[in-house]
Amino acid sequence: MVYEIKNDKVIINVKAQPNSSKNKIAGIYGESLKINIKAPAVEGAANKELIKFISKEFKIPKSEIEIKGETSKRKQLILPLNEKLKKFLESLE
């Protein structure tokens, strides 16, 4: 399961791909959403870039985005559910 909705929050399983040519959502990868990130996986740079990218992509304040599994390539993003994010999740099905 790629994502789960709980109490107006969305928990998304993410496979982060650091050192990519550009930031983009690459699609479904097994049970995760694969997201390419330009920044290298050094000193949390890729996590910062991931939060910035998701914030811009779905119009969510950076302060409201939570990451679990910061040192792993497989992470969980916890985001507040908004219309833009809801439409994106529906497009995955």
Side-chain angles (χ1 to χ4, degrees):
M1 189 185 66
V2 176
Y3 70 93
E4 182 181 358
I5 298 174
K6 269 191 194 163
N7 312 327
D8 292 337
K9 296 263 187 207
V10 182
I11 302 162
I12 304 175
N13 293 321
V14 169
K15 180 183 186 306
Q17 181 78 52
N19 293 322
S20 297
S21 58
K22 65 180 186 177
N23 292 338
K24 70 173 186 181
I25 296 173
I28 305 290
Y29 183 84
E31 295 284 297
S32 303
L33 186 64
K34 186 174 180 183
I35 301 179
N36 295 358
I37 296 297
K38 286 190 294 195
V42 180
E43 294 172 10
N47 285 337
K48 283 191 189 94
E49 188 78 22
L50 176 63
I51 288 173
K52 195 167 96 179
F53 171 66
I54 293 296
S55 169
K56 216 180 270 181
E57 194 74 11
F58 298 113
K59 308 276 184 273
I60 295 171
K62 287 186 235 173
S63 60
E64 292 185 30
I65 299 173
E66 196 184 322
I67 290 187
K68 286 194 172 161
E70 290 191 4
T71 56
S72 167
K73 279 185 189 225
R74 296 197 180 273
K75 307 173 183 306
Q76 281 191 326
L77 288 180
I78 300 158
L79 316 165
L81 187 59
N82 67 16
E83 272 312 303
K84 195 160 183 183
L85 182 55
K86 197 174 183 178
K87 280 196 173 80
F88 171 75
L89 294 173
E90 286 167 2
S91 77
L92 293 176
E93 292 170 7

